[in-house]
Amino acid sequence: MVNVALLQGKKVLVTGAARGLGRDFAQAIAEAGAQVVMADILTDLVQTEAATLQAQGLNVEAVTIDLANADSIELAVQHTVEYLGGIDGLVNCAALATNVGGKSMMDYDADLWDRVMNINVKGTWLVTKACVPYLKQSEAAKVINVASDTALWGAPNLMAYVASKGALLAMTRSMARELGPFNICINTLSPGLTLVEATEYVPQERHDLYLNGRAIQRQQLPQDLNGTALYLLSELSSFVTGQNIPVNGGFVFN
């Protein structure tokens, strides 16, 4: 059961919220009492999902965002601030993750590399940058960058994605130093292979590798990450910053 008071009154922006982990994060955060703006490039789908949650009595709104477009990012953040009246929390979940692997480093497509890095790294930086002026106005702002445990164990045949998530780990540490004086905590959450739309293309042998290699030997579901996300957005983690928390059933340990 979600503690409905844990994030009561908080104002949170979640990117990549139309489906998968972002969609689940948005629902869990709203159920914990926060007002949530769900942002995604999939305009129709994010509007539909927001309407579904609104029908359940949750305080959510949808907005379009394209992490490859700086103007789109600025407009999305402006819309969020207008709707929420500020920002206390940000979950950077949007990423280019589908069909970005399957080839070795020798055969990887250079244009795909650029797209992955542009969206997953530069886009995450630009969203955070656009939110910082408003996060500074919050008493205890929190940011979560959703990385991946692939960067921790060095998953093969997934070069750009792994590199982009590794960059998020390093970028988060640097941001923590710069944002700490404003009492803004920023951390990374690194999921293992999770059963969502974005991982449907992943070969069965990779799923089996995770399943057999975990300390808790079962498939990972989006809900498995919600508790850690809520903790990182709440007052419970107000002295935790610059950290990475792998949530993968014990496939990779810190």
Side-chain angles (χ1 to χ4, degrees):
M1 290 290 292
V2 173
N3 183 340
V4 295
L6 189 62
L7 300 180
Q8 192 66 46
K10 298 296 184 181
K11 303 163 183 178
V12 181
L13 170 63
V14 181
T15 70
R19 59 185 183 180
L21 294 180
R23 165 62 172 76
D24 224 64
F25 285 143
Q27 179 170 348
I29 292 165
E31 288 175 346
Q35 297 174 267
V36 179
V37 168
M38 303 168 63
D40 206 289
I41 194 172
L42 302 173
T43 301
D44 292 342
L45 184 58
V46 75
Q47 293 285 352
T48 298
E49 294 301 324
T52 298
L53 296 183
Q54 289 166 357
Q56 297 175 21
L58 299 177
N59 194 338
V60 303
E61 176 72 6
V63 65
T64 301
I65 193 169
D66 179 359
L67 264 66
N69 186 308
D71 291 338
S72 174
I73 290 170
E74 290 290 342
L75 287 172
V77 171
Q78 289 176 18
H79 179 95
T80 298
V81 172
E82 289 171 5
Y83 176 74
L84 298 178
I87 302 176
D88 299 303
L90 167 65
V91 181
N92 282 310
C93 192
L96 188 58
T98 304
N99 296 319
V100 295
K103 292 185 178 181
S104 73
M105 62 176 285
M106 305 303 292
D107 298 321
Y108 208 90
D109 180 79
D111 290 337
L112 178 58
W113 171 282
D114 289 342
R115 291 199 301 276
V116 171
M117 299 299 283
N118 189 44
I119 292 171
N120 295 8
V121 184
K122 182 180 177 181
T124 297
W125 162 53
L126 289 177
V127 173
T128 308
K129 178 183 176 184
C131 290
V132 163
Y134 308 103
L135 293 169
K136 286 180 178 180
Q137 297 172 25
S138 174
E139 292 183 359
K142 307 289 193 299
V143 179
I144 300 173
N145 289 331
V146 180
S148 167
D149 77 346
T150 58
L152 304 178
W153 68 274
N157 301 322
L158 194 61
M159 186 63 63
Y161 181 79
V162 173
S164 73
K165 294 304 185 176
L168 285 189
L169 300 180
M171 187 170 73
T172 298
R173 295 171 186 140
S174 182
M175 286 180 170
R177 297 285 184 189
E178 295 192 25
L179 299 177
F182 306 103
N183 205 32
I184 299 171
C185 295
I186 180 166
N187 296 283
T188 50
L189 174 57
S190 291
L193 183 59
T194 308
L195 296 184
V196 293
E197 294 90 336
T199 60
E200 290 176 352
Y201 82 100
V202 174
Q204 186 61 44
E205 63 184 58
R206 183 61 59 85
H207 283 279
D208 293 342
L209 176 68
Y210 268 92
L211 183 61
N212 296 325
R214 289 182 176 124
I216 301 172
Q217 293 190 334
R218 65 165 174 81
Q219 297 285 8
Q220 180 164 347
L221 305 174
Q223 306 91 277
D224 293 321
L225 295 145
N226 289 341
T228 304
L230 295 178
Y231 160 73
L232 289 174
L233 288 170
S234 76
E235 303 300 323
L236 297 174
S237 63
S238 289
F239 206 58
V240 178
T241 194
Q243 305 302 316
N244 175 54
I245 302 181
V247 180
N248 56 21
F251 184 75
V252 173
F253 300 132
N254 261 341

